[in-house]
Amino acid sequence: MLGWALTFLVVALIAGALGFTGIAGTSAGIAKILFFIFLVLFVVSLIARAVRGG
């Protein structure tokens, strides 16, 4: 999931540099959403691991 977020971030940066602001904004938004989903899943995973004692 983090890989997809980084991919969309790179697409947003390239599109922004080339002047495609609509594509850049959309890609940046998708990258943000995927990054926050990754963070939530990561925190849930850490909590689950701590509760199980692993």
Side-chain angles (χ1 to χ4, degrees):
M1 177 124 4
L2 187 58
W4 281 104
L6 292 174
T7 301
F8 278 106
L9 178 64
V10 170
V11 168
L13 290 174
I14 292 171
L18 295 176
F20 299 112
T21 55
I23 295 172
T26 303
S27 294
I30 293 171
K32 267 193 222 179
I33 291 168
L34 289 175
F35 181 72
F36 286 121
I37 290 172
F38 167 77
L39 281 179
V40 168
L41 292 176
F42 180 69
V43 170
V44 168
S45 174
L46 286 177
I47 292 171
R49 183 174 177 152
V51 168
R52 282 190 270 161

